[in-house]
Amino acid sequence: MRHSCESYSGDLSEFLSTGNQMAVLRDSLGTLKGFVKMATYVQTVDIEHFAPADEREALTREALTREVRRGLVARPRSLSPWMFYDAEGSRLFERITTLPEYYPTRTERAILAGYADAIIAAAHGDRSLPLRLVELGAGTASKTCILLEAALRVSDDVAYVPVDVCPDALELACQNVACALPEVRMQPIVRNYVTHPLQLDLFDGTTLALYIGTSIGNFSPEEAQLILRNLCSQLQTGDAPLLGTDMVKDRRTLLAAYDDNDGITGAFNLNILHRLNRELGANFDAACFRHRVLWNSIECRIEMHLESTQEQGVSIDDADLDLHFMPRETIHTENSYKFTDQGIRRLLTQVGFEVRGTWKDSRGWYTLTLACLG
Ligand code: AVJ
């Protein structure tokens, strides 16, 4: 198809098996570029399966029900941060990443922009081998393109394997990459990498495993170790994980990043309650809960909570729950661990990796660490 754009006028559906999806991506009608993009995407969208929407919704509802029965009955009450990311929550998170107070995203992007070639060179010693970038929690892959571009400068055989629990985010990631870099082969995987082993295909080449965006910050040191151990078990000698971590810094900067002036992070936190109203028939009155942020210096983490402003009853019909909140009672919704050089090194060596290189911004607010199998 790449070479038949002039004569080809057939039906693209013949390239897909039942149940697969196709996106047609083009920036202008009839250009060769447009056709190449289509061809690339059609070829690569044939992936480990995207479950149909109703099946996905049923699974999500089950997981939400399990989580509210566990977390809202326990004391202190808590909910798991994956619950933030429905369509509305993902949209709010994208807005957070552009806030003046929320420095991690733009700082990481600047480090990648400055050092992508150096990172790729350090990760991919033998340029004659194919290169595969696997990304845990790919989200919309907006920063990944910087590394993929650098990869394409040294190799014409580059594959991208985004792994994410959210199929909608994965589709967006694929579209973004297909559109910007049509020569990259894509093999998206829908998976919760926290609860399920990755099971990567064997690969004859170098794998660079991206775990960026300080996503690892959501997990306790024990959970983080498990995730990295799981990753380690999927890699071979010569492969390399790249870890993005937000660093410990002054308390004011940290607190502001999670409590912005426009109240977007507050809306993001409260969206969990709206989501339970929408999806589990709950009757939370979000106006009776406040966004609370604190720096826990002992655990070295930012914590987000929702605090009840008054005594109130809430029912969650689909989970058969009736809850009673006292004034100032809280629901713990997120931890965001902050790191030190020593802490990063300890975490990586504990699971069998060795540090191969580190890259920081000029203020030392954020670190990208390349490791290898020790
Ligand atoms: C997605 C875990 C990187 O911890 O900074 C941003 C999520 N929460 N503002 C973070 C988040 C509130 C974010 N991570």
Side-chain angles (χ1 to χ4, degrees):
M1 264 193 63
R2 272 173 189 270
H3 305 292
S4 61
C5 53
E6 274 177 354
S7 57
Y8 190 77
S9 60
D11 182 353
L12 291 179
S13 65
E14 70 201 59
F15 289 94
L16 299 170
S17 48
T18 316
N20 284 318
Q21 304 171 19
M22 181 183 78
V24 177
L25 302 166
R26 60 182 179 201
D27 45 11
S28 61
L29 261 177
T31 63
L32 178 62
K33 211 172 148 212
F35 274 97
V36 172
K37 278 177 190 167
M38 274 199 278
T40 308
Y41 200 63
V42 170
Q43 161 216 315
T44 54
V45 85
D46 182 19
I47 54 168
E48 185 164 325
H49 203 57
F50 283 78
D54 51 345
E55 247 171 66
R56 263 190 244 157
E57 272 161 32
L59 284 172
T60 306
R61 179 188 296 275
E62 259 172 52
L64 285 172
T65 306
R66 220 175 309 124
E67 183 54 16
V68 295
R69 287 191 178 141
R70 180 203 65 77
L72 292 182
V73 174
R75 296 303 142 83
R77 302 186 207 250
S78 66
L79 289 171
S80 189
W82 63 260
M83 292 175 65
F84 288 130
Y85 300 97
D86 65 348
E88 174 66 3
S90 299
R91 201 182 59 81
L92 286 165
F93 180 68
E94 287 300 311
R95 270 185 82 183
I96 288 173
T97 63
T98 67
L99 292 170
E101 295 94 335
Y102 193 77
Y103 59 84
T105 308
R106 91 174 61 85
T107 308
E108 183 177 65
R109 184 179 291 114
I111 302 171
L112 286 172
Y115 302 109
D117 289 316
I119 293 168
I120 293 294
H124 188 48
D126 185 348
R127 293 183 171 208
S128 62
L129 293 175
L131 181 56
R132 171 170 76 168
L133 274 72
V134 175
E135 183 168 15
L136 301 187
T140 57
S142 68
K143 284 166 292 178
T144 317
C145 284
I146 304 171
L147 279 170
L148 288 168
E149 274 163 32
L152 286 169
R153 282 195 282 273
V154 301
S155 168
D156 48 20
D157 191 350
V158 176
Y160 178 47
V161 183
V163 183
D164 206 288
V165 67
C166 174
D168 304 308
L170 263 187
E171 279 193 70
L172 213 59
C174 290
Q175 285 177 24
N176 283 344
V177 173
C179 216
L181 304 165
E183 51 277 70
V184 171
R185 269 184 300 128
M186 281 186 297
Q187 298 151 345
I189 300 176
V190 182
R191 176 140 323 150
N192 184 334
Y193 61 81
V194 182
T195 54
H196 293 81
L198 272 179
Q199 293 179 302
L200 296 176
D201 291 339
L202 277 179
F203 184 68
D204 197 9
T206 310
T207 297
L208 175 57
L210 309 176
Y211 197 19
I212 57 176
T214 198
S215 309
I216 199 164
N218 270 166
F219 302 100
S220 69
E222 296 73 32
E223 291 168 321
Q225 266 195 49
L226 270 175
I227 291 167
L228 290 177
R229 257 185 232 288
N230 175 9
L231 178 63
C232 189
S233 74
Q234 298 293 306
L235 300 179
Q236 294 164 287
T237 313
D239 292 347
L242 182 71
L243 189 66
T245 44
D246 192 22
M247 307 302 276
V248 174
K249 58 185 65 58
D250 71 281
R251 193 169 161 271
R252 268 186 57 194
T253 304
L254 287 170
L255 286 172
Y258 294 84
D259 200 4
D260 61 281
N261 276 329
D262 292 346
I264 308 298
T265 311
F268 174 74
N269 197 3
L270 286 159
N271 177 59
I272 274 200
L273 303 182
H274 291 295
R275 178 175 192 185
L276 296 179
N277 290 350
R278 285 189 291 263
E279 294 182 41
L280 290 185
N283 65 348
F284 281 100
D285 182 353
C288 298
F289 287 86
R290 276 183 61 199
H291 171 59
R292 300 274 285 159
V293 179
L294 59 94
W295 167 244
N296 182 334
S297 60
I298 298 180
E299 300 289 342
C300 228
R301 67 190 189 202
I302 285 283
E303 296 181 9
M304 297 209 315
H305 300 262
L306 290 166
E307 182 184 285
S308 175
T309 57
Q310 61 189 64
E311 186 169 356
Q312 57 183 317
V314 176
S315 57
I316 306 180
D317 285 349
D318 299 359
D320 293 316
L321 277 182
D322 282 302
L323 306 169
H324 189 84
F325 288 90
M326 296 305 284
R328 308 202 54 190
E329 206 184 323
T330 56
I331 307 170
H332 186 174
T333 49
E334 184 173 45
N335 289 322
S336 186
Y337 284 84
K338 304 302 167 190
F339 294 81
T340 59
D341 290 340
Q342 221 186 354
I344 297 168
R345 190 173 297 273
R346 197 183 318 123
L347 177 62
L348 287 167
T349 52
Q350 269 168 346
V351 302
F353 290 123
E354 263 168 30
V355 174
R356 198 191 292 181
T358 55
W359 293 270
K360 289 173 190 282
D361 57 300
S362 56
R363 293 184 291 200
W365 280 10
Y366 198 94
T367 305
L368 283 173
T369 307
L370 185 73
C372 58
L373 291 173

